[in-house]
Amino acid sequence: MKKLIFLSNKYRGLLLAFLKPLGFWGAGLVALLDSSSIPVPMDPLMALYAWNNRHTFYLYVLAAAIGSAIGGLVPYFIGRAGGELFLLKRVDRVKYEQLRDRFEKQEFLALLIPSMLPPPTPWKLFVFAAGVFEMKVWNFMLAVFVGRVIRFTIVGILTIRYGPQMIHEVGALVQQHAVAVLAGLGVVIALLVLVAIRKSLRKKATA
């Protein structure tokens, strides 16, 4: 385990050294690649950015959030171009119907919440589904941007306060309880959808 952590730290260190001349634009570029095609361990990388740039880490957060929103358009438009059959191969019919219901009732929250959560949340599945269910492009980009800002800001604050090792500990905890995290995600989304429906019904009743 220690060897894996050492190799992981070495990989991130090399990546960060390569991207250092690009400044906060490097964070945006890596986030774009991560969201569009090549998976990158963003949280540990953002932790290193925050640790090395404590007074300006918010610039790296904004750049990474923008990169994620732009990069996410790749799987989004693939889904929108006719990915329904592809999505059905990845999830069963019940999960497909649940995803569709979430996006029909509250599409912004259906993507915002997964964008806030760290791995192993199947973020690209939600992005792909957003395209399949024809979520509006600007709503899509805003949901991803806001979710990533919240996530990377939390990573930065935890790193600055407790050190980069905190991200490893939190990540390991999330992976150990992946089922509970995903179940909690489902409950939160369901509650938010319920609140939105009740507000909508109250507005109709008073209209």
Side-chain angles (χ1 to χ4, degrees):
M1 183 65 180
K2 290 183 179 179
K3 187 176 181 180
L4 288 174
I5 293 175
F6 171 77
L7 291 173
S8 179
N9 288 335
K10 186 176 181 180
Y11 164 75
R12 287 193 296 273
L14 291 172
L15 183 60
L16 192 62
F18 174 76
L19 295 170
K20 190 173 182 179
L22 298 176
F24 59 85
W25 294 111
L29 175 61
V30 175
L32 188 150
L33 292 174
D34 175 61
S35 296
S36 62
S37 53
I38 304 172
V40 177
M42 284 302 300
D43 290 341
L45 187 62
M46 293 303 295
L48 286 175
Y49 272 126
W51 187 251
N52 294 323
N53 305 274
R54 303 187 184 190
H55 300 296
T56 58
F57 85 95
Y58 64 92
L59 294 176
Y60 293 84
V61 168
L62 292 174
I66 292 171
S68 291
I70 295 173
L73 289 173
V74 174
Y76 167 85
F77 278 117
I78 291 175
R80 191 156 187 169
E84 183 176 355
L85 293 177
F86 181 84
L87 184 60
L88 283 170
K89 290 180 180 179
R90 295 295 182 273
V91 299
D92 58 37
R93 173 60 68 172
V94 174
K95 290 182 179 179
Y96 176 87
E97 297 292 343
Q98 290 174 347
L99 278 172
R100 187 183 64 187
D101 290 343
R102 289 175 190 174
F103 277 96
E104 285 182 352
K105 293 176 181 177
Q106 193 57 264
E107 63 179 16
F108 188 82
L109 290 176
L111 188 59
L112 170 67
I113 296 174
S115 298
M116 292 167 50
L117 297 177
T121 305
W123 182 75
K124 279 192 173 70
L125 176 64
F126 286 92
V127 171
F128 194 80
V132 172
F133 303 128
E134 299 184 350
M135 181 178 183
K136 294 178 181 178
V137 174
W138 289 113
N139 285 349
F140 168 84
M141 295 188 71
L142 183 61
V144 174
F145 174 78
V146 173
R148 289 309 203 220
V149 165
I150 294 171
R151 172 179 160 185
F152 295 148
T153 298
I154 292 173
V155 168
I157 292 173
L158 287 175
T159 300
I160 292 171
R161 182 157 186 173
Y162 300 107
Q165 70 278 0
M166 174 58 66
I167 303 306
H168 288 293
E169 295 173 6
V170 172
L173 184 65
V174 170
Q175 289 183 2
Q176 289 174 6
H177 303 281
V179 175
V181 170
L182 293 177
L185 169 64
V187 171
V188 171
I189 291 177
L191 289 174
L192 290 172
V193 168
L194 181 61
V195 170
I197 291 174
R198 286 185 175 180
K199 286 183 178 180
S200 179
L201 291 174
R202 286 176 183 173
K203 287 182 180 179
K204 289 181 179 179
T206 56

